[in-house]
Amino acid sequence: MALALGVLVAVAAGAAFVAWRTLTVFRTTPYGDVEEKVVVVPPGASARAVVRLLAHSGALADERHAWAYVRWLKRDHRAFRAGEYAFQGPLTPDQVLDRVYLGQVRLHRFTVPEGLRVDEIAEIVQRSGLAPAGAFLAVARDPAVARALGVPFSTLEGFLFPDTYSFPRGVSARAVAEAMVDRFKAEYARADAARSPGVSFTMGEAATFASIVEKETGRPEERPRIACVFRNRLRIGMRLQTDPTVMYATLLRTGRWSRNITRADLHAAHPYNTYTSSGLPPGPIANAGAAALRAALAPADCADLYFVSRNDGTHVFCPDLTCHQAAVRTWQIDFFRHAAR
């Protein structure tokens, strides 16, 4: 009898050792390949259900061993957190499980380049999978949202700061827009701290002015001088006469966007058309970056009133009409005449 009991104890001890050894090997062995596995843990899912999801997705090697490990060895009393998770192996079980315990959810990233309109940004948000373009546009064009976020216009145009953003699955279009406006305010505060004496733009005027500077040149080093030109025009009561405002006005008038400006577009009366209207347009025409914001509040010191493209992204600047006409002849008329030969 004693011998039989001893044999049973030995068998049980051996089985326990084998089980312990199996789970130890399971715990220390990385599993998985470079292919990303995405797992969505629903709210209220039990620990067993989460382990099953992770195993079936290929993030954990074996459901039975994983559950035994969680139940008997890891014995972590934290709750698994709901959310979307991404795993790219090989990873140990602890690396997989701790990510869900800690709520290190998968983030969807998107980048907004400088100088885009709100409708173009909406398409970028949609491609990220975070929110439909229509939902984002509805938020960005809602006057109540603009008021709540402290934007001095009826839409968020000009206040959606160009940057790279990361959000978890399920974020609202409103939350995305709020984050972008917060980034604008932070960058505006930095630019405002370096404001030049005599520049009295409000935040709304600065955003509007910066959007024009942004659209006129892609060269950061030119933005302070472009800003100087437009500031000089405003100071003497000269119309800004900037083509990007004509294109924006045409979009608002007709619903079509085109870089080809017609004579009719130039002469069409519209508050955003700075060929027919004096002063700043009623609001921003795009969403400017940090360099354009800084240039708006700290323009260069110059006597220029005109600039002409060299057709390589840079410009020739002129203080008077005689210089400007000569530059137009050289860089527009003669340049394209020679190019057509």
Side-chain angles (χ1 to χ4, degrees), residues 12 57 78 154 163 165 174 210 220 222 249 251 270 284 293-294 330:
S57 72
R78 293 175 294 174
S154 61
D163 203 350
Y165 296 89
R174 169 77 178 256
E222 281 197 345
L251 174 65
H270 192 277
L293 273 174
R294 289 194 299 268
T330 299

PDB file of all heavy atoms in Angstrom, residues 12 57 78 154 163 165 174 210 220 222 249 251 270 284 293-294 330:
ATOM      1  N   ALA A  12       2.802  11.781  -9.779  1.00  0.00           N
ATOM      2  CA  ALA A  12       2.223  13.120  -9.721  1.00  0.00           C
ATOM      3  C   ALA A  12       3.312  14.183  -9.748  1.00  0.00           C
ATOM      4  O   ALA A  12       3.196  15.213 -10.437  1.00  0.00           O
ATOM      5  CB  ALA A  12       1.366  13.279  -8.475  1.00  0.00           C
ATOM      6  N   SER A  57      -5.031  34.348 -33.443  1.00  0.00           N
ATOM      7  CA  SER A  57      -4.461  35.330 -34.376  1.00  0.00           C
ATOM      8  C   SER A  57      -3.020  35.010 -34.737  1.00  0.00           C
ATOM      9  O   SER A  57      -2.473  35.565 -35.682  1.00  0.00           O
ATOM     10  CB  SER A  57      -4.511  36.724 -33.757  1.00  0.00           C
ATOM     11  OG  SER A  57      -3.547  36.837 -32.717  1.00  0.00           O
ATOM     12  N   ARG A  78      -4.266  41.827 -12.958  1.00  0.00           N
ATOM     13  CA  ARG A  78      -4.733  42.975 -13.724  1.00  0.00           C
ATOM     14  C   ARG A  78      -5.709  42.514 -14.803  1.00  0.00           C
ATOM     15  O   ARG A  78      -5.594  41.408 -15.326  1.00  0.00           O
ATOM     16  CB  ARG A  78      -3.560  43.684 -14.399  1.00  0.00           C
ATOM     17  CG  ARG A  78      -2.585  44.350 -13.451  1.00  0.00           C
ATOM     18  CD  ARG A  78      -1.398  44.916 -14.214  1.00  0.00           C
ATOM     19  NE  ARG A  78      -0.600  43.869 -14.825  1.00  0.00           N
ATOM     20  CZ  ARG A  78       0.433  44.089 -15.642  1.00  0.00           C
ATOM     21  NH1 ARG A  78       0.758  45.333 -15.947  1.00  0.00           N
ATOM     22  NH2 ARG A  78       1.114  43.093 -16.155  1.00  0.00           N
ATOM     23  N   SER A 154     -15.765  80.661 -38.519  1.00  0.00           N
ATOM     24  CA  SER A 154     -16.855  79.682 -38.460  1.00  0.00           C
ATOM     25  C   SER A 154     -16.413  78.271 -38.830  1.00  0.00           C
ATOM     26  O   SER A 154     -17.198  77.326 -38.697  1.00  0.00           O
ATOM     27  CB  SER A 154     -18.001  80.118 -39.375  1.00  0.00           C
ATOM     28  OG  SER A 154     -17.552  80.200 -40.722  1.00  0.00           O
ATOM     29  N   ASP A 163       1.234  68.326 -39.302  1.00  0.00           N
ATOM     30  CA  ASP A 163       2.148  67.557 -38.461  1.00  0.00           C
ATOM     31  C   ASP A 163       1.841  66.081 -38.651  1.00  0.00           C
ATOM     32  O   ASP A 163       0.936  65.713 -39.408  1.00  0.00           O
ATOM     33  CB  ASP A 163       1.973  67.953 -36.994  1.00  0.00           C
ATOM     34  CG  ASP A 163       3.201  67.643 -36.138  1.00  0.00           C
ATOM     35  OD1 ASP A 163       4.112  66.948 -36.645  1.00  0.00           O
ATOM     36  OD2 ASP A 163       3.244  68.083 -34.976  1.00  0.00           O
ATOM     37  N   TYR A 165       0.404  62.786 -36.730  1.00  0.00           N
ATOM     38  CA  TYR A 165      -0.460  62.495 -35.587  1.00  0.00           C
ATOM     39  C   TYR A 165      -0.654  60.987 -35.450  1.00  0.00           C
ATOM     40  O   TYR A 165      -0.637  60.249 -36.444  1.00  0.00           O
ATOM     41  CB  TYR A 165      -1.819  63.166 -35.767  1.00  0.00           C
ATOM     42  CG  TYR A 165      -1.749  64.671 -35.788  1.00  0.00           C
ATOM     43  CD1 TYR A 165      -1.546  65.361 -36.986  1.00  0.00           C
ATOM     44  CD2 TYR A 165      -1.867  65.404 -34.619  1.00  0.00           C
ATOM     45  CE1 TYR A 165      -1.464  66.746 -37.002  1.00  0.00           C
ATOM     46  CE2 TYR A 165      -1.799  66.792 -34.631  1.00  0.00           C
ATOM     47  CZ  TYR A 165      -1.591  67.455 -35.831  1.00  0.00           C
ATOM     48  OH  TYR A 165      -1.509  68.822 -35.850  1.00  0.00           O
ATOM     49  N   ARG A 174     -14.001  64.501 -33.996  1.00  0.00           N
ATOM     50  CA  ARG A 174     -13.881  65.696 -33.150  1.00  0.00           C
ATOM     51  C   ARG A 174     -12.562  65.686 -32.372  1.00  0.00           C
ATOM     52  O   ARG A 174     -11.868  66.703 -32.288  1.00  0.00           O
ATOM     53  CB  ARG A 174     -15.077  65.770 -32.202  1.00  0.00           C
ATOM     54  CG  ARG A 174     -14.993  66.804 -31.078  1.00  0.00           C
ATOM     55  CD  ARG A 174     -15.270  68.205 -31.556  1.00  0.00           C
ATOM     56  NE  ARG A 174     -15.219  69.171 -30.444  1.00  0.00           N
ATOM     57  CZ  ARG A 174     -16.286  69.705 -29.880  1.00  0.00           C
ATOM     58  NH1 ARG A 174     -17.508  69.393 -30.293  1.00  0.00           N
ATOM     59  NH2 ARG A 174     -16.164  70.605 -28.918  1.00  0.00           N
ATOM     60  N   ALA A 210      -0.558  84.014 -42.658  1.00  0.00           N
ATOM     61  CA  ALA A 210       0.395  82.900 -42.782  1.00  0.00           C
ATOM     62  C   ALA A 210      -0.030  81.925 -43.872  1.00  0.00           C
ATOM     63  O   ALA A 210       0.809  81.355 -44.575  1.00  0.00           O
ATOM     64  CB  ALA A 210       0.515  82.167 -41.448  1.00  0.00           C
ATOM     65  N   PRO A 220      11.209  77.628 -47.079  1.00  0.00           N
ATOM     66  CA  PRO A 220      11.118  78.241 -45.744  1.00  0.00           C
ATOM     67  C   PRO A 220      11.945  79.510 -45.618  1.00  0.00           C
ATOM     68  O   PRO A 220      11.530  80.469 -44.960  1.00  0.00           O
ATOM     69  CB  PRO A 220      11.643  77.143 -44.813  1.00  0.00           C
ATOM     70  CG  PRO A 220      11.384  75.867 -45.546  1.00  0.00           C
ATOM     71  CD  PRO A 220      11.576  76.195 -46.994  1.00  0.00           C
ATOM     72  N   GLU A 222      12.434  81.763 -47.738  1.00  0.00           N
ATOM     73  CA  GLU A 222      11.826  82.900 -48.425  1.00  0.00           C
ATOM     74  C   GLU A 222      10.602  83.454 -47.710  1.00  0.00           C
ATOM     75  O   GLU A 222      10.157  84.561 -48.007  1.00  0.00           O
ATOM     76  CB  GLU A 222      11.406  82.504 -49.849  1.00  0.00           C
ATOM     77  CG  GLU A 222      12.531  82.463 -50.854  1.00  0.00           C
ATOM     78  CD  GLU A 222      12.003  82.473 -52.282  1.00  0.00           C
ATOM     79  OE1 GLU A 222      10.793  82.220 -52.491  1.00  0.00           O
ATOM     80  OE2 GLU A 222      12.797  82.742 -53.192  1.00  0.00           O
ATOM     81  N   ALA A 249     -10.998  81.494 -53.793  1.00  0.00           N
ATOM     82  CA  ALA A 249     -12.275  82.169 -54.056  1.00  0.00           C
ATOM     83  C   ALA A 249     -13.064  81.441 -55.140  1.00  0.00           C
ATOM     84  O   ALA A 249     -14.290  81.284 -55.046  1.00  0.00           O
ATOM     85  CB  ALA A 249     -12.025  83.621 -54.471  1.00  0.00           C
ATOM     86  N   LEU A 251     -12.879  78.277 -55.846  1.00  0.00           N
ATOM     87  CA  LEU A 251     -13.400  77.053 -55.233  1.00  0.00           C
ATOM     88  C   LEU A 251     -14.687  77.338 -54.470  1.00  0.00           C
ATOM     89  O   LEU A 251     -15.672  76.599 -54.584  1.00  0.00           O
ATOM     90  CB  LEU A 251     -12.348  76.458 -54.299  1.00  0.00           C
ATOM     91  CG  LEU A 251     -12.777  75.240 -53.470  1.00  0.00           C
ATOM     92  CD1 LEU A 251     -13.079  74.049 -54.368  1.00  0.00           C
ATOM     93  CD2 LEU A 251     -11.704  74.875 -52.445  1.00  0.00           C
ATOM     94  N   HIS A 270     -15.209  88.688 -55.117  1.00  0.00           N
ATOM     95  CA  HIS A 270     -15.403  87.730 -54.022  1.00  0.00           C
ATOM     96  C   HIS A 270     -14.545  88.196 -52.849  1.00  0.00           C
ATOM     97  O   HIS A 270     -13.425  88.687 -53.059  1.00  0.00           O
ATOM     98  CB  HIS A 270     -14.994  86.321 -54.454  1.00  0.00           C
ATOM     99  CG  HIS A 270     -15.427  85.255 -53.500  1.00  0.00           C
ATOM    100  ND1 HIS A 270     -14.717  84.937 -52.365  1.00  0.00           N
ATOM    101  CD2 HIS A 270     -16.523  84.446 -53.491  1.00  0.00           C
ATOM    102  CE1 HIS A 270     -15.340  83.972 -51.712  1.00  0.00           C
ATOM    103  NE2 HIS A 270     -16.438  83.657 -52.370  1.00  0.00           N
ATOM    104  N   PRO A 284      -8.427  82.184 -43.365  1.00  0.00           N
ATOM    105  CA  PRO A 284      -7.319  81.471 -44.001  1.00  0.00           C
ATOM    106  C   PRO A 284      -7.753  80.736 -45.271  1.00  0.00           C
ATOM    107  O   PRO A 284      -8.907  80.331 -45.409  1.00  0.00           O
ATOM    108  CB  PRO A 284      -6.871  80.482 -42.923  1.00  0.00           C
ATOM    109  CG  PRO A 284      -7.351  81.065 -41.634  1.00  0.00           C
ATOM    110  CD  PRO A 284      -8.648  81.733 -41.984  1.00  0.00           C
ATOM    111  N   LEU A 293       3.913  80.726 -39.995  1.00  0.00           N
ATOM    112  CA  LEU A 293       3.383  81.445 -38.832  1.00  0.00           C
ATOM    113  C   LEU A 293       4.424  82.400 -38.262  1.00  0.00           C
ATOM    114  O   LEU A 293       4.123  83.548 -37.934  1.00  0.00           O
ATOM    115  CB  LEU A 293       2.944  80.449 -37.752  1.00  0.00           C
ATOM    116  CG  LEU A 293       1.525  79.900 -37.832  1.00  0.00           C
ATOM    117  CD1 LEU A 293       1.329  78.822 -36.776  1.00  0.00           C
ATOM    118  CD2 LEU A 293       0.491  81.001 -37.682  1.00  0.00           C
ATOM    119  N   ARG A 294       5.662  81.920 -38.156  1.00  0.00           N
ATOM    120  CA  ARG A 294       6.736  82.786 -37.650  1.00  0.00           C
ATOM    121  C   ARG A 294       6.956  83.973 -38.587  1.00  0.00           C
ATOM    122  O   ARG A 294       7.162  85.107 -38.137  1.00  0.00           O
ATOM    123  CB  ARG A 294       8.028  81.982 -37.487  1.00  0.00           C
ATOM    124  CG  ARG A 294       7.989  80.981 -36.335  1.00  0.00           C
ATOM    125  CD  ARG A 294       9.377  80.472 -36.005  1.00  0.00           C
ATOM    126  NE  ARG A 294       9.987  79.773 -37.131  1.00  0.00           N
ATOM    127  CZ  ARG A 294       9.907  78.466 -37.340  1.00  0.00           C
ATOM    128  NH1 ARG A 294       9.230  77.708 -36.492  1.00  0.00           N
ATOM    129  NH2 ARG A 294      10.504  77.909 -38.380  1.00  0.00           N
ATOM    130  N   THR A 330      12.027  88.896 -67.908  1.00  0.00           N
ATOM    131  CA  THR A 330      13.119  87.912 -67.894  1.00  0.00           C
ATOM    132  C   THR A 330      12.628  86.526 -67.509  1.00  0.00           C
ATOM    133  O   THR A 330      12.953  85.533 -68.181  1.00  0.00           O
ATOM    134  CB  THR A 330      14.215  88.352 -66.908  1.00  0.00           C
ATOM    135  OG1 THR A 330      14.743  89.598 -67.328  1.00  0.00           O
ATOM    136  CG2 THR A 330      15.326  87.304 -66.835  1.00  0.00           C
TER     137      THR A 330
END
